[in-house]
Amino acid sequence: MTNPQVADVPCHPVDEKLPARKLIPSALQHIAAMYSGVVAAPLVIGPTVGLSAGNQVLLISVSLFIAGLCTLTQTLGVGKVLGNRLPFVNAAASGGIAPLLAIGQNTAKGHELQTMLGSLLVAGAVCLVIGPFFGKLMRFFPHLVTGVVITLIGVSLMPVPVRWAQGGAGAENFGSTSNLALAAFTLVIIVAMQRLFTGFLRQISLILGMVIGTLAAVPFGMLNTKTFESAPLVSIPTPFHFGMPEFQIAGIISMTIMMLVLMTESAAGMLAVGEICDRPVDGRTISSGLRIDGLGTMIGSLFGGFAISAFAQNIGVVSLTKVRSRFVVATAGAVLLVLGVFPVLGAVVSLVPMPVLGGAGLVLFGTIAISGVRTLSRAHLDEGANIVIAAVSLGVGLIPLAAPEVVANGKVVQPGIYHAFPDWAQTILGTGICAGAITAVLLNIAFNHLGKKKPQEQPEPEARPAKPTAPAEPTEAVPAGDPVAGKS
């Protein structure tokens, strides 16, 4: 799909500079594939912590700005230690949402976001420190472990779009038939587009479905335009706008565990991109790429950003289009940077009614769960005790969903299963993701590492890029903006 560079010296496709007529449309494809995933975290976290409409817009703008900055640095590189110089997208991972929600639920009112950002600051620092040595830790995060974690992330997030479909927590008409009908309409539109469209239109079906759902809500007065009144035209993200970071040991542990999972997916994504682009990835490249994850998470937390990781849907775009130029992805990063500087553009996203987000969210978070199932399918479940490890880990992780806290008329009528535990334990165990991840790691070590010279799944991280089908698999998740398939 790429044309030879107009030069006497041949150029590797990764370093090829395409003409504008190809560069811009190719960059827009990446924007379309990633946009929903980039704004997913602020769209979920903002209403949960009770942000005003204006601050919600700014939170979206920060997410776009940090994603653009990280993607530009990743693709173009800085010196010899920052950036993998591959067509690789870095942005806020949806995988980090669930543990952040758990932190918020176990934090004093009014301090939720600050505690989340403090946990992210420390987790990002840990990522930055252990990044150069992470290759030695990857053997403890094989497909068996990451598959369990990704599946739990998708399943644990499902209550969020269900609440959106009902109108959002606190809505006067919560659970009304009109809200549910609009959510169902949006879902049907997205599914129909997936069935009828191909190529670029299919890739952006999630966004198109949200646009159509929003337009359908206009005649019924379900559109909230007040956000524009508080959205500035231009605003440069400023540090500590949402308050100084606050630190909670349980939240730090929770996000550090999640960051290790995100790092594993980023490393696997780099291996896949290197294979797709015929540019083998070595340990130095992975270390340089993971430094962006750590720095992006640290710096982003000061402004209101979230955990940074790879976006697998963009790996799928590279595989599908065969356009391997890193400058295409860098251009997409520059566009995200511009979108982040103009909050009024972020206000457009906040116009989308909650039920429309609910219909789209079922696809978005459902795709995350399916990505985990797909990863588990490569975990050799028929070997040894792998199926038991997966079953027990998933079971432990699903406990909070099976016995949740039930609130009626503002009163807790049924406490959650961990209500008698200390606050720090409730934060770690609350969503089940961290509990499931810890269980999977420990059981995998016990069964596949201790006392064995050749662990059953230890070679898997190195073998991933050798599988001819692996690079193409993320393309299935493109429309849903799933950052987790190659994670978050």
Side-chain angles (χ1 to χ4, degrees), residues 211-224:
V211 170
I212 294 173
T214 301
L215 294 176
V218 174
F220 301 97
M222 301 174 70
L223 208 63
N224 182 12

Side-chain angles (χ1 to χ4, degrees), residues 59 63 103 109 119 136 151 168 221 237 258 376 385 388 396 425 446 478 485 488:
L59 198 66
S63 186
I103 292 172
K109 190 172 181 60
S119 300
K136 296 180 180 180
T151 303
M258 182 53 58
L376 277 175
V388 174
V396 170
V478 167
S488 107

Side-chain angles (χ1 to χ4, degrees), residues 305-324:
F306 302 104
I308 299 297
S309 185
F311 266 38
Q313 62 271 30
N314 294 93
I315 298 174
V317 171
V318 174
S319 177
L320 182 68
T321 63
K322 308 303 181 186
V323 178
R324 296 175 283 178

Side-chain angles (χ1 to χ4, degrees), residues 4-351:
Q5 191 182 39
V6 182
D8 294 329
V9 180
C11 172
H12 193 284
V14 169
D15 300 315
E16 185 178 6
K17 296 180 180 179
L18 302 178
R21 69 179 185 276
K22 290 191 174 183
L23 179 71
I24 295 175
S26 298
L28 289 177
Q29 285 191 106
H30 281 279
I31 293 290
M34 78 173 82
Y35 191 85
S36 297
V38 174
V39 301
L43 281 174
V44 176
I45 300 297
T48 301
V49 300
L51 288 184
S52 64
N55 277 331
Q56 173 70 35
V57 171
L58 291 178
L59 198 66
I60 293 172
S61 297
V62 168
S63 186
L64 292 168
F65 184 86
I66 297 298
L69 186 63
C70 290
T71 299
L72 271 172
T73 309
Q74 189 73 271
T75 52
L76 300 181
V78 176
K80 296 182 179 180
V81 295
L82 286 180
N84 56 31
R85 291 176 172 82
L86 292 168
F88 196 79
V89 171
N90 274 104
S94 295
I97 295 175
L100 288 175
L101 292 177
I103 292 172
Q105 290 171 359
N106 294 281
T107 303
K109 190 172 181 60
H111 296 266
E112 299 97 335
L113 186 56
Q114 293 90 332
T115 305
M116 293 177 187
L117 298 178
S119 300
L120 286 164
L121 179 61
V122 177
V126 171
C127 174
L128 189 61
V129 170
I130 69 174
F133 315 101
F134 190 70
K136 296 180 180 180
L137 297 177
M138 282 185 66
R139 68 194 187 100
F140 298 114
F141 292 86
H143 290 145
L144 181 63
V145 174
T146 55
V148 167
V149 175
I150 297 170
T151 303
L152 286 173
I153 288 170
V155 174
S156 297
L157 286 174
M158 270 303 162
V160 175
V162 172
R163 284 194 295 270
W164 287 349
Q166 297 175 84
E172 295 180 1
N173 60 343
F174 185 81
S176 67
T177 54
S178 59
N179 285 340
L180 295 175
L182 182 58
F185 173 76
T186 303
L187 177 61
V188 169
I189 290 295
I190 294 172
V191 172
M193 288 181 176
Q194 283 286 307
R195 176 64 181 86
L196 300 175
F197 292 168
T198 58
F200 182 63
L201 287 178
R202 187 178 183 183
Q203 290 175 0
I204 63 173
S205 61
L206 191 75
I207 295 175
L208 291 178
M210 293 171 68
V211 170
I212 294 173
T214 301
L215 294 176
V218 174
F220 301 97
M222 301 174 70
L223 208 63
N224 182 12
T225 59
K226 293 182 179 179
T227 305
F228 278 102
E229 299 174 4
S230 54
L233 178 62
V234 180
S235 176
I236 304 297
T238 55
F240 312 121
H241 173 82
F242 298 99
M244 294 293 293
E246 298 179 11
F247 304 97
Q248 178 193 88
I249 185 64
I252 290 172
I253 294 173
S254 176
M255 283 312 306
T256 299
I257 292 172
M258 182 53 58
M259 204 67 205
L260 289 172
V261 175
L262 295 178
M263 290 170 67
T264 303
E265 293 304 317
S266 275
M270 290 181 219
L271 292 171
V273 169
E275 180 71 14
I276 293 169
C277 297
D278 295 323
R279 176 169 280 184
V281 171
D282 55 17
R284 178 178 296 180
T285 302
I286 290 178
S287 295
S288 298
L290 290 178
R291 287 191 184 99
I292 301 299
D293 285 17
L295 276 176
T297 301
M298 281 183 64
I299 296 174
S301 68
L302 302 179
F303 292 84
F306 302 104
I308 299 297
S309 185
F311 266 38
Q313 62 271 30
N314 294 93
I315 298 174
V317 171
V318 174
S319 177
L320 182 68
T321 63
K322 308 303 181 186
V323 178
R324 296 175 283 178
S325 171
R326 59 191 172 101
F327 297 103
V328 167
V329 177
T331 301
V335 173
L336 289 176
L337 206 63
V338 172
L339 291 175
V341 176
F342 293 91
V344 69
L345 298 175
V348 175
V349 179
S350 66
L351 283 176

